[in-house]
Amino acid sequence: MQARAAVGRAKRSGDADSERVARRRVHEAKLALGERGAVWWTDGAPDFNRFLVKNTPYGDWYAALPRQ
């Protein structure tokens, strides 16, 4: 979260160099958390991260869930 906040501060200040450094820190944090980079599973299944669920093989299942 600190890295994301640093991106916002850099954007507001117009400091391109600081923004670049902050975005690199965000990227490094996401890699460390497993949010970016190679998938952790090894069975060859595709990664549907960053897809709308309706555009994945799980779309019908999700559409059939009861709405709360």
Side-chain angles (χ1 to χ4, degrees):
M1 291 305 294
Q2 291 174 345
R4 287 183 181 165
V7 169
R9 286 192 301 275
K11 286 178 77 168
R12 286 189 297 277
S13 72
D15 185 344
D17 290 333
S18 292
E19 184 178 349
R20 193 169 16 267
V21 169
R23 287 188 182 280
R24 185 171 47 243
R25 285 181 51 216
V26 168
H27 178 69
E28 290 168 358
K30 286 182 173 261
L31 282 173
L33 291 168
E35 294 180 16
R36 292 188 180 157
V39 297
W40 56 266
W41 55 91
T42 59
D43 65 357
D47 182 4
F48 292 111
N49 186 34
R50 302 185 68 166
F51 283 77
L52 292 174
V53 71
K54 69 179 184 177
N55 297 329
T56 73
Y58 306 101
D60 291 338
W61 165 81
Y62 183 77
L65 290 175
R67 299 294 172 230
Q68 297 180 358

